[in-house]
Amino acid sequence: MQTIARSIREKHGLVAIAITHRLGKVDIEEESILIAVSSAHRQASWRAGEECLEEVKQKVEVWKEEWFADGGVWRANRDGQAGVKV
């Protein structure tokens, strides 16, 4: 995530950027990632934040345990469709 943050900061001319991903139990509809962006202009911050989120989702391997009525299953963030047991 540091590499992604550095790349996004340079590309969009940001003052600063921070990315953190929650660990532990995260209930459905709760936030799991925080991206904080600082720039001289609001538009650059919005674009950078959105691009950063998409890049993290694409490149960072995040394992999670999803729970269903018949038990839980561990999966990577890129395994199949979200919410569908694989």
Side-chain angles (χ1 to χ4, degrees):
M1 287 193 298
Q2 288 178 332
T3 302
I4 293 170
R6 193 175 304 114
S7 171
I8 295 289
R9 186 186 72 227
E10 291 170 4
K11 179 178 179 181
H12 292 277
L14 304 175
V15 173
I17 182 169
I19 309 167
T20 187
H21 202 289
R22 283 178 64 181
L23 299 175
K25 184 177 179 183
V26 180
D27 288 327
I28 294 173
E29 297 186 7
E30 285 187 358
E31 295 80 7
S32 60
I33 188 168
L34 170 73
I35 300 170
V37 181
S38 174
S39 72
H41 301 285
R42 176 179 53 217
Q43 191 173 37
S45 290
W46 286 113
R47 287 184 179 157
E50 185 172 353
E51 183 177 324
C52 184
L53 176 61
E54 294 306 318
E55 196 164 332
V56 167
K57 287 168 49 178
Q58 180 183 23
K59 294 181 177 177
V60 176
E61 190 75 20
V62 177
W63 282 86
K64 58 186 174 182
E65 185 177 18
E66 292 186 350
W67 282 91
F68 299 87
D70 60 347
V73 60
W74 280 98
R75 60 191 275 169
N77 57 324
R78 294 180 291 226
D79 288 347
Q81 182 180 354
V84 176
K85 194 171 183 178
V86 292

